[in-house]
Amino acid sequence: MDNHSGWCQDNTSFGTFSGDNQDKLVAFWVEGIMVPTVGGIGICGNIASIMVLSKREFKDTFHKLLISLSLVDSTFIICAVFTFLVRSQGLLEGPLSNILAPLFLICLALGSCALVTSMYLTISISVERYFGICYPIQSRVQGRRRLCVYLVPVIFFSLLFNLPKFLEITPGGELNWKLSNNLLYNKIYGQYAELTVTVVIPLLALLCFNCRIYLAVRNSRGFGNSVRQRRENNLALILITIVVVFLCCQSLKFFLAFYKVHVTTKTLYCDTLGLSPWYPKWMHTVSYINHFMLVLNSSTNFIIYCFVGTRFRKSLLLSFYSHMRCLNIMNNHTNSSTTLGLSRQTEMSYISRTPSPRDLRKHEKLQATNSSHRNRSQYRHLHISDSRLISQMDDQLSLTYCGDDN
């Protein structure tokens, strides 16, 4: 590695490491093991959240925005896991580089778009809660709580802001080095616009709206005891928890964004030499941890809903019990079908051994015939015995008569 004034280093291809072997080991465990594990759990949690929040009892705009947030977070997790795995395993330098390189660039741009969308969806949810808590009547009358009012501007703005990142990909699926290495582009868009859109605006907006929401909820606890007011306060509590977790997980990203602007002079100097800026060793480790924290942030909403959302937790448990009951019914049905099959086999075997009515009639006729033959034989036997007795008596009488005559 050639150093120039201690600021620059030779350019490396995109998706490769600029650190040493220790940095690669840290990246392997953080981006190659921890990120996919947490991301897989997060996707399962987001799917469960969408299934629960899609029920009829969750029909408010707030719940629909949470469904949209789960979809966007799942998209970001998929893109982040793919890009981090490809980079940590060095797959772009392998035989599948022709296939993985275009997918890697697309996932980078799409993941950045999903991340910005997630940020501003959180702001939209804060705005919705702000009007719902601070101006409940006006928000319903003026229709400010419609889903499209909060969702469409966020998607449009996110696509518009991330359009240059999609333009960095050529139609052939390669990196547009001319655009990505442009000094004015990197200075205006890559540093100042990135800092303003992804750090300053989200941070100020979330702090402003959620502080107002917290104060309104705290003041309403003294006299607002209606069922609807308690439900609105519970939704506000869910939002505040989401925002707190969001700020904690995004803190490293905020720090790195400010640091990137701080070293703008170094970056521009290296760009004029056609080289890449050299960053301190700790920045690689912080960058890997930042990637893990971003994925963690998109994976924890389900846990927040379970611990803070009373209705969500009850509906989830009810769904779980109903599914378990269905499984038990299916098992019982299977067992009963097996038992019924065995009983039917037993009945069929019994029926196969039991004579039919036709056979019974034949058997009765045969018995009647046999009995008639038996009676006839008995009658003949009696007739023969009687005739023999009569002949014996005749012989005795004849002897008697003969004796008298003599």
Side-chain angles (χ1 to χ4, degrees):
M1 181 177 65
D2 297 331
N3 292 331
H4 297 268
S5 303
W7 282 12
C8 307
Q9 64 180 355
D10 291 336
N11 280 322
T12 56
S13 60
F14 70 94
T16 58
F17 288 98
S18 58
D20 54 13
N21 293 329
Q22 186 177 0
D23 295 329
K24 292 182 179 180
L25 182 62
V26 175
F28 172 78
W29 283 104
V30 176
E31 296 184 345
I33 302 298
M34 297 175 62
V35 168
T37 303
V38 175
I41 298 174
I43 290 176
C44 295
N46 289 332
I47 293 174
S49 301
I50 293 172
M51 294 177 62
V52 174
L53 294 174
S54 298
K55 295 182 178 181
R56 293 182 178 179
E57 56 185 299
F58 301 101
K59 58 182 179 179
D60 296 335
T61 304
F62 177 80
H63 300 118
K64 296 178 181 179
L65 289 174
L66 292 183
I67 294 175
S68 303
L69 183 63
S70 298
L71 291 173
V72 173
D73 285 341
S74 299
T75 304
F76 170 74
I77 291 174
I78 294 173
C79 295
V81 169
F82 176 79
T83 54
F84 296 155
L85 274 177
V86 169
R87 192 177 66 169
S88 63
Q89 302 297 328
L91 299 179
L92 292 178
E93 299 174 355
L96 299 177
S97 59
N98 294 331
I99 300 175
L100 295 178
L103 295 177
F104 182 84
L105 293 174
I106 293 174
C107 286
L108 278 178
L110 185 61
S112 177
C113 183
L115 182 61
V116 175
T117 306
S118 177
M119 289 181 178
Y120 283 84
L121 263 180
T122 307
I123 297 175
S124 294
I125 297 173
S126 300
V127 173
E128 193 274 340
R129 282 294 83 209
Y130 172 76
F131 285 113
I133 295 294
C134 299
Y135 306 98
I137 299 177
Q138 293 87 336
S139 63
R140 299 189 192 99
V141 172
Q142 298 179 10
R144 294 180 180 175
R145 309 181 73 179
R146 295 177 182 175
L147 178 63
C148 60
V149 176
Y150 300 101
L151 186 59
V152 174
V154 170
I155 296 177
F156 178 77
F157 174 77
S158 178
L159 291 175
L160 182 63
F161 176 75
N162 289 278
L163 182 61
K165 295 184 179 180
F166 287 97
L167 295 177
E168 291 182 14
I169 308 173
T170 62
E174 298 178 354
L175 182 63
N176 188 354
W177 292 101
K178 183 178 180 180
L179 178 61
S180 61
N181 291 332
N182 186 276
L183 295 179
L184 186 61
Y185 172 78
N186 287 323
K187 183 177 181 179
I188 297 177
Y189 178 78
Q191 295 181 7
Y192 295 109
E194 189 84 16
L195 177 67
T196 303
V197 173
T198 63
V199 177
V200 177
I201 294 178
L203 186 61
L204 295 178
L206 290 175
L207 290 177
C208 178
F209 285 111
N210 285 274
C211 287
R212 294 290 302 275
I213 292 172
Y214 172 76
L215 294 176
V217 170
R218 191 182 64 175
N219 294 331
S220 65
R221 287 183 177 180
F223 53 88
N225 295 323
S226 63
V227 176
R228 186 174 185 85
Q229 185 65 37
R230 289 197 299 268
R231 189 177 68 177
E232 295 286 340
N233 292 341
N234 183 257
L235 298 181
L237 182 61
I238 294 175
L239 170 64
I240 294 175
T241 308
I242 292 175
V243 172
V244 171
V245 174
F246 173 85
L247 294 177
C248 293
C249 293
Q250 299 278 342
S251 59
L252 287 180
K253 176 180 171 55
F254 297 160
F255 168 76
L256 291 176
F258 281 108
Y259 180 81
K260 188 177 179 180
V261 174
H262 174 69
V263 295
T264 301
T265 304
K266 178 193 295 186
T267 303
L268 295 178
Y269 174 78
C270 294
D271 287 339
T272 56
L273 298 177
L275 301 173
S276 298
W278 182 86
Y279 297 108
K281 186 178 180 59
W282 58 265
M283 190 173 180
H284 296 283
T285 303
V286 173
S287 178
Y288 305 145
I289 298 175
N290 172 51
H291 296 161
F292 172 75
M293 296 298 290
L294 292 178
V295 175
L296 181 64
N297 178 43
S298 299
S299 305
T300 54
N301 288 339
F302 173 76
I303 301 176
I304 295 173
Y305 303 155
C306 291
F307 280 94
V308 183
T310 305
R311 294 173 59 197
F312 182 89
R313 183 171 59 252
K314 291 181 179 179
S315 180
L316 179 65
L317 292 176
L318 182 62
S319 300
F320 177 76
Y321 290 146
S322 63
H323 286 300
M324 293 299 295
R325 191 181 299 111
C326 291
L327 291 176
N328 292 331
I329 292 174
M330 292 177 63
N331 292 331
N332 294 332
H333 179 70
T334 303
N335 295 331
S336 62
S337 300
T338 305
T339 306
L340 182 60
L342 293 175
S343 63
R344 286 181 177 178
Q345 291 179 359
T346 306
E347 291 177 357
M348 291 301 296
S349 60
Y350 173 77
I351 291 172
S352 63
R353 292 193 299 269
T354 304
S356 61
R358 183 177 180 182
D359 295 335
L360 290 175
R361 287 194 296 270
K362 289 182 179 180
H363 183 67
E364 290 176 356
K365 289 181 180 180
L366 182 61
Q367 286 182 348
T369 304
N370 293 333
S371 63
S372 62
H373 287 298
R374 192 180 301 109
N375 293 332
R376 288 179 183 177
S377 62
Q378 291 177 358
Y379 175 76
R380 289 177 182 177
H381 179 71
L382 292 174
H383 179 70
I384 292 173
S385 60
D386 292 340
S387 60
R388 289 179 179 177
L389 181 60
I390 291 173
S391 61
Q392 290 178 359
M393 292 178 64
D394 289 339
D395 292 339
Q396 290 179 359
L397 289 174
S398 61
L399 291 174
T400 303
Y401 289 149
C402 290
D404 291 339
D405 290 338
N406 290 332

